[in-house]
Amino acid sequence: MSVPQRTAKSILEIAAEVLVRDATASLAQVAAAAGIGRTTLHKRYPTRQHLLVAVAEESLDILDRAVTEAIGDDPGESLRDLVDALVPLGPRLEFLLRQPSLDAEPELQARWVQVDRPLTEFMGRVAEAGLLRPGVAPWWAVSSLYAVAYTAWEGVALGKLAPLDAAGLAYGTLMGGIGR
Amino acid sequence: MSVPQRTAKSILEIAAEVLVRDATASLAQVAAAAGIGRTTLHKRYPTRQHLLVAVAEESLDILDRAVTEAIGDDPGESLRDLVDALVPLGPRLEFLLRQPSLDAEPELQARWVQVDRPLTEFMGRVAEAGLLRPGVAPWWAVSSLYAVAYTAWEGVALGKLAPLDAAGLAYGTLMGGIGR
DNA sequence: ACCGTTGTGAACATGAGTGTTCCGCAGCGA
DNA sequence: TCGCTGCGGAACACTCATGTTCACAACGGT
């Protein structure tokens, strides 16, 4: 009982938080934030790069799960569920997009393509259901979904947007744009 | 005449290219790409951070100019001009967004807010002209503009989108969303 | 021809993060 | 009580980009 909470948050979760707040944080900072020694951190993740990749993989797992769960039978409803699911994943997306060392990991890029595949196929079905404007390719719909979800989360993080309004605004903008 | 092209591209331009391609590129790589010695690079930009800030400032200059020139009297037309102007700035936006060391420079953040001010005011006018959906705040319109422009440029960079189609798709998505 | 400017390569010093080793300590089950 | 295990802390060596100094070469103006 010396430790207040026994691994309430996993090391990877804390590492993700720290590295999103400061992408150049040293391993000492990560270890300190996790309440463990730097040596222990090295034992689990031999290299800084190993740690970064592990965080990235976990992030992709979370993303994958969220996407899989959100996609259902009804295209329209699923779209709304997707937005709801993706907005809170902002920090993970930020980590994946902003951590420079990840560019050197082809496996991660491949993995992301893998995650995007069901999403793109889903958008194809949405298009076939006549719910997409002509000229909007499935991949573009996916990219727009990411963009609007991430932007909404950013708005929340900057205090410009109420958390409860974020997903709604994102969904409205995705489907109807900003104009009328 | 020893040098083929006398500063055809400025050092900052080349640095921007190299650092977008590889955010962790060393100064030696930047100097080599610019065709100058590392020592010379150090004379102009004493520190790596100085160089990064200089590239960022130049990027903000470019962004500022593009925004200022695009904003005209007619709100609708200006919106289209804005998208046209922002899409090609993708690499500069990527640099500003992905270079981690820039987070530690409050002046740059302040400068960006400065650049965004006329943009936000413009979106306010667009809203007053009745061109924005209710519930779309000016700052959200600005964020969406950035997001869609950057996403379109990314599509071009990945070879998914024809350069000539990018701005049109971005504008259409911004104003009308992906749905119908 | 002289001199200031500018760039260059080589060499060096530095510092920070990283990765490793080693030893002590606490917990825990047998 | 005895091991076993995992963790922590201290210390170490190492790597690498960085920043600095210096002497030399090319250039241009006077």
Side-chain angles (χ1 to χ4, degrees):
Chain A
M1 282 298 174
S2 61
V3 178
Q5 296 285 345
R6 173 66 183 163
T7 316
K9 291 183 180 180
S10 74
I11 294 181
L12 287 184
E13 280 176 294
I14 293 178
E17 289 176 11
V18 173
L19 289 169
V20 163
R21 200 178 323 138
D22 175 9
T24 66
S26 70
L27 296 186
Q29 290 175 262
V30 174
I36 65 174
R38 192 171 68 95
T39 311
T40 308
L41 185 60
H42 267 294
K43 276 183 185 136
R44 305 212 183 169
Y45 306 99
T47 287
R48 176 188 183 86
Q49 190 69 359
H50 280 100
L51 175 64
L52 294 178
V53 169
V55 173
E57 282 176 346
E58 192 202 37
S59 300
L60 285 171
D61 288 342
I62 295 174
L63 180 63
D64 196 0
R65 208 175 323 129
V67 167
T68 304
E69 288 177 3
I71 294 180
D73 294 331
D74 180 52
E77 194 179 331
S78 298
L79 260 174
R80 177 59 208 238
D81 290 343
L82 270 174
V83 175
D84 286 343
L86 287 191
V87 170
L89 298 190
R92 295 296 185 156
L93 292 177
E94 178 171 349
F95 177 83
L96 289 169
L97 294 171
R98 288 200 62 194
Q99 202 64 39
S101 333
L102 299 182
D103 295 347
E105 301 287 335
E107 312 159 7
L108 286 179
Q109 311 300 328
R111 175 81 199 287
W112 202 335
V113 171
Q114 194 86 358
V115 172
D116 278 354
R117 187 175 310 161
L119 203 44
T120 310
E121 290 171 357
F122 165 74
M123 287 299 186
R125 271 175 272 134
V126 175
E128 286 170 9
L131 296 179
L132 292 193
R133 288 211 345 261
V136 173
W139 74 265
W140 175 253
V142 172
S143 293
S144 300
L145 170 65
Y146 279 127
V148 80
Y150 181 80
T151 304
W153 169 79
E154 199 182 15
V156 173
L158 292 176
K160 294 178 171 179
L161 189 53
L164 291 179
D165 296 342
L169 183 57
Y171 179 73
T173 302
L174 178 67
M175 297 310 291
I178 64 170
R180 68 170 170 191
Chain B
M1 282 297 176
S2 61
V3 177
Q5 297 284 346
R6 172 67 182 164
T7 317
K9 292 184 180 180
S10 74
I11 294 181
L12 286 184
E13 280 177 294
I14 293 178
E17 289 176 12
V18 173
L19 289 169
V20 163
R21 200 180 322 141
D22 175 8
T24 66
S26 69
L27 296 186
Q29 290 175 263
V30 174
I36 64 175
R38 191 171 69 96
T39 312
T40 307
L41 186 60
H42 266 294
K43 278 190 182 126
R44 304 212 183 172
Y45 306 100
T47 287
R48 178 190 182 84
Q49 191 70 359
H50 280 101
L51 175 64
L52 295 178
V53 169
V55 173
E57 284 178 342
E58 192 201 39
S59 301
L60 286 170
D61 287 342
I62 295 173
L63 181 63
D64 197 0
R65 208 176 319 130
V67 167
T68 304
E69 289 178 1
I71 294 180
D73 292 332
D74 180 53
E77 195 179 330
S78 298
L79 260 174
R80 177 60 206 238
D81 290 343
L82 269 173
V83 175
D84 286 344
L86 287 191
V87 170
L89 297 191
R92 295 295 183 157
L93 292 178
E94 177 171 350
F95 177 84
L96 289 169
L97 294 171
R98 290 200 60 193
Q99 201 66 38
S101 332
L102 298 183
D103 295 348
E105 302 287 335
E107 313 159 8
L108 286 179
Q109 312 299 329
R111 174 80 199 287
W112 202 335
V113 172
Q114 194 86 357
V115 172
D116 278 354
R117 188 176 311 162
L119 203 45
T120 310
E121 290 171 355
F122 165 74
M123 286 300 186
R125 271 175 271 136
V126 175
E128 287 172 7
L131 296 179
L132 292 193
R133 287 207 349 260
V136 173
W139 74 264
W140 175 254
V142 172
S143 292
S144 300
L145 170 64
Y146 279 127
V148 80
Y150 181 80
T151 305
W153 169 78
E154 198 182 18
V156 173
L158 294 175
K160 293 178 171 178
L161 188 54
L164 291 179
D165 295 342
L169 184 57
Y171 179 73
T173 302
L174 178 67
M175 297 309 292
I178 65 171
R180 68 171 172 189

